[in-house]
């Protein structure tokens, strides 16, 4: 058996060059995990009440997370924030 830990080169994982390049050049997501979770749930204009039921915080907390995400990304709406997250590849990260 070759290599450390008894693994041969034939079982080592390999990176997909295009995916690795995208990961290295994509800007880091400035959102907290909770802001991102709430933004992701808001993708289809989901009402704040529905998001709050799924994530457990109050309606006001959900609104605060959405406002923080929109503000951090410098966009005018949660739809634009979601679109930006999609364009930057952040949706695949979470």
């Amino acid at each position: 058996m070759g290599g450390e830990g008894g693994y041969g080169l034939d079982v080592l994982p390999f990176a997909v060059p295009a995916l690795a390049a995208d990961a290295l050049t994509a800007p880091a997501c400035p959102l907290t995990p909770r802001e991102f979770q709430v933004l992701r749930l808001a993708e289809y204009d989901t009402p704040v009440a529905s998001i709050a039921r799924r994530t457990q915080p109050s309606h006001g907390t959900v609104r605060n997370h959405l406002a923080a995400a929109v503000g951090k990304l410098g966009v005018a709406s949660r739809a634009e924030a979601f679109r930006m997250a999609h364009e930057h590849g952040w949706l695949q990260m979470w």
Side-chain angles (χ1 to χ4, degrees):
M1 293 196 187
E4 292 183 19
Y7 294 105
L9 290 178
D10 57 324
V11 295
L12 293 177
F14 292 95
V16 176
L19 185 58
D22 287 347
L24 292 173
T25 58
C29 181
L31 306 179
T32 66
R34 184 61 111 171
E35 290 166 350
F36 191 81
Q37 177 191 28
V38 168
L39 178 62
R40 193 161 204 191
L41 290 171
E43 174 184 9
Y44 299 107
D45 284 336
T46 306
V48 169
S50 295
I51 296 169
R53 276 193 302 276
R54 291 183 70 183
T55 60
Q56 301 304 313
S58 70
H59 295 85
T61 302
V62 169
R63 279 192 218 95
N64 289 342
H65 286 314
L66 288 171
V70 167
K72 285 181 179 180
L73 298 178
V75 295
S77 69
R78 65 187 193 178
E80 288 181 49
F82 187 86
R83 188 173 21 261
M84 177 182 272
H86 177 71
E87 289 171 358
H88 283 87
W90 298 332
L91 298 178
Q92 289 77 25
M93 294 171 45
W94 300 88

